[in-house]
Amino acid sequence: MDLSGIGAVLFDMDGTLVDSDAAVERAWERWASEYAVEPAAALAIAHGRPADQTIRRLLPALDDAAVAVAAARQLALQYDDLSDVTATPGALELLSTLARSGVPWAVVTSADVRLAEARLGAAGIAPQVLVTVEDVDEGKPAPDGYLRAAALLDVPPGRCLVVEDAEVGLQAGRAAGAMTAALKGLDGDLRLVDLTQLTYGLSGSATAR
């Protein structure tokens, strides 16, 4: 994939820039026990998706008010669970490369702003632009978050590279009209083992410009 035309990079947070998988799983397992849901069922669909969407699929009988309470509880379990939250392999090096190359970047996450700022802070990451689930009408797999980030960076979506580790996020990136880079064995325009691979690709593109 030719990366020379990339005008901005739009990152998912959990599992992409921030290694928070263990914290996410602990929160969903505890939430599932409180709501009499099979933990494996929750974990199978929760990653990359806003909490309320996951809860509606797990507990379709809940009304809107009950879903809001359940989602708030799920997020509350995550806010202070930061002991093992770190940057993913290659993340800080990649962000440094983008800064040197003058390529703008943003974080687009299904978390709310409190959780996003806590996890990014624990990982030592300060995004230029942060778009959370609170900033959009519809979360992933809808394209709203990525379209908003592209607009805030003033870069056409077609010149943005969306980096994701969840299928719902890749769907959102494609729907926005962006190029996609996929982690964890998923399919995108570019398949990544980790972010170090993208660092090398972008460094080469910057040199070629």
Side-chain angles (χ1 to χ4, degrees):
M1 179 182 177
D2 181 9
L3 300 178
S4 60
I6 298 298
V9 182
L10 313 179
F11 295 97
D12 172 52
M13 183 180 71
D14 291 310
T16 299
L17 278 183
V18 176
D19 184 355
S20 54
D21 288 355
V24 171
E25 290 178 6
R26 285 193 296 268
W28 277 109
E29 286 169 353
R30 183 171 172 186
W31 179 92
S33 69
E34 293 179 3
Y35 278 82
V37 170
E38 177 60 42
L43 293 175
I45 63 172
H47 190 61
R49 194 185 303 270
D52 62 335
Q53 288 187 17
T54 299
I55 290 165
R56 288 182 191 281
R57 293 183 63 179
L58 293 169
L59 298 171
L62 294 185
D63 61 21
D64 289 348
V67 167
V69 170
R73 174 57 181 159
Q74 207 286 326
L75 287 171
L77 291 169
Q78 300 189 51
Y79 288 140
D80 299 320
D81 189 354
L82 303 171
S83 61
D84 53 1
V85 173
T86 62
T88 55
L92 298 180
E93 294 82 358
L94 174 55
L95 298 179
S96 294
T97 296
L98 294 177
R100 289 193 302 269
S101 303
V103 176
W105 58 279
V107 172
V108 179
T109 176
S110 296
D112 65 5
V113 67
R114 177 179 171 185
L115 182 58
E117 289 179 345
R119 285 197 175 140
L120 289 166
I125 295 172
Q128 299 170 343
V129 166
L130 174 61
V131 177
T132 74
V133 71
E134 295 168 304
D135 297 315
V136 297
D137 291 331
E138 290 189 61
K140 302 171 187 178
D144 301 29
Y146 285 119
L147 291 173
R148 180 174 175 83
L152 290 171
L153 294 176
D154 196 25
V155 177
R159 293 191 60 227
C160 292
L161 178 67
V162 165
V163 186
E164 274 278 358
D165 75 317
E167 183 57 38
V168 289
L170 291 167
Q171 291 173 16
R174 295 186 194 105
M179 295 168 279
T180 58
L183 292 156
K184 298 183 179 177
L186 297 176
D187 286 323
D189 297 310
L190 181 65
R191 296 182 69 176
L192 302 176
V193 175
D194 60 31
L195 295 181
T196 302
Q197 184 181 348
L198 187 55
T199 300
Y200 291 141
L202 289 170
S203 297
S205 297
T207 301
R209 287 173 186 167

